[in-house]
Amino acid sequence: MRRPIFSLEVFPPRRNATVGTIYDTLDGLADLQPDFISVTYGHGSQSDRTITARIAHTIRQEYRIPVVTHLTALYSSEERVDQTLDMFEAAGVRAVLALRGDQLEGYEPQGRFNYANELVAYIREKHPDMLVFGACYPEGHSECPDMKQDVENLKRKVDAGATTLISQLFYDNEKFYRFRDMLDAAGITVPVEAGIMPIMSMKSTINMAKRGGVTIPKTVYLLLDKWGDDTNILRSAGVVYASQQISDLAANGVDGIHLYTMNHPGDIRRIWGNVQNLFEKDDGRRL
Ligand code: FAD
């Protein structure tokens, strides 16, 4: 039996943070031997492709772990995307998560990549050796009022060449299972990794859920209500909650788990300690 894919996501340090943090994060995660680590990409004025490429290079060359780089393109020209892809290729990247990126107030889109499916098609054409992944939203993307329409739009991304989908975080597995059924009905057959973000603080949980239109189930509200003022206890409860989510997903035949690490290796290691038997190695790495 094929085991689920297991991947991790890290983000580059913010401009005013010390670069060392990301290495502490990678040191703390490398021995979990994920199938890949993905590195996020800034957007609008936050976009700094060199830092994403540098971290990708370190993950690939120093830690010897396959790497996926994110790339947003709404505010990028074709030329800039070309340069970025060349940079990624030079860093040893073999897969890109192709994203449109959020619409930002005060910024004018470049007009070349209005939706992720256009970027997927472009990368497939320009870099046929690269794998292209796409993002998906079990509770629907916040801009799309109709879930069915959102899935139809997702199908364009897959038809354009996305070979794996990684989901936005969710706390209610039932939402994910319903979404999977919708993908089946729409003829989307590529693997879908479930995005799991451990609860790390009351503020971040509520903000993320609000921003992404993610439902907070009653159980999570209870945890936030009881331990919202004590981050240490809340995080312990969050480790247990995420572990339970993962074991339920694995029992239900999930294609993969993508853990949003938030650059907190300690919590991720504890979750891994609880669930690693569910990811026994089979036929080797996926990338
Ligand atoms: P799209 O797939 O283009 O979808 C955006 C909206 O347009 C949806 O409402 C969709 O229904 C609609 N749509 C799609 N295609 C069409 C079409 N052809 N015609 C009409 N409507 C269409 N953001 C960052 O800035 N950096 C990151 O590193 C990053 N990483 C992420 C990783 C994951 C796993 C996820 C789930 C999200 C990530 N994001 C990141 C956030 C992402 O950029 C936003 O959610 C963004 O608003 C949508 O990007 P997308 O690629 O999903 O867009």
Side-chain angles (χ1 to χ4, degrees), residues 40-41 70 99-102 116-117 137 141 150 153 156-157:
T40 64
Y41 190 84
H70 301 200
L99 297 151
R100 184 202 69 177
D102 283 330
N117 64 289
Y137 303 83
H141 183 261
D150 204 35
N153 291 336
R156 301 173 199 242
K157 208 171 343 194

Side-chain angles (χ1 to χ4, degrees), residues 60-85:
R60 189 75 201 108
Q61 304 303 331
E62 286 180 32
Y63 294 90
R64 302 273 161 204
I65 296 172
V67 65
V68 174
T69 44
H70 301 200
L71 174 59
T72 63
L74 185 61
Y75 299 103
S76 286
S77 62
E78 216 171 90
E79 190 189 8
R80 190 175 165 87
V81 165
D82 284 340
Q83 291 165 351
T84 308
L85 290 170

Side-chain angles (χ1 to χ4, degrees), residues 175-252:
K175 305 270 184 208
F176 182 79
Y177 300 140
R178 222 165 299 151
F179 176 62
R180 227 172 32 171
D181 290 344
M182 290 185 78
L183 300 193
D184 276 350
I188 296 177
T189 55
V190 297
V192 183
E193 281 201 78
I196 300 294
M197 183 179 289
I199 297 164
M200 302 227 171
S201 80
M202 168 120 111
K203 193 169 155 208
S204 67
T205 304
I206 289 176
N207 284 348
M208 298 268 189
K210 216 181 260 173
R211 229 179 24 221
V214 173
T215 306
I216 300 187
K218 196 171 160 209
T219 325
V220 173
Y221 266 122
L222 275 174
L223 304 181
L224 295 176
D225 188 44
K226 182 127 181 104
W227 292 303
D229 293 338
D230 189 326
T231 306
N232 282 338
I233 303 184
L234 184 66
R235 279 168 69 159
S236 293
V239 165
V240 174
Y241 190 84
S243 306
Q244 282 170 342
Q245 260 194 294
I246 294 169
S247 83
D248 179 73
L249 286 160
N252 279 284

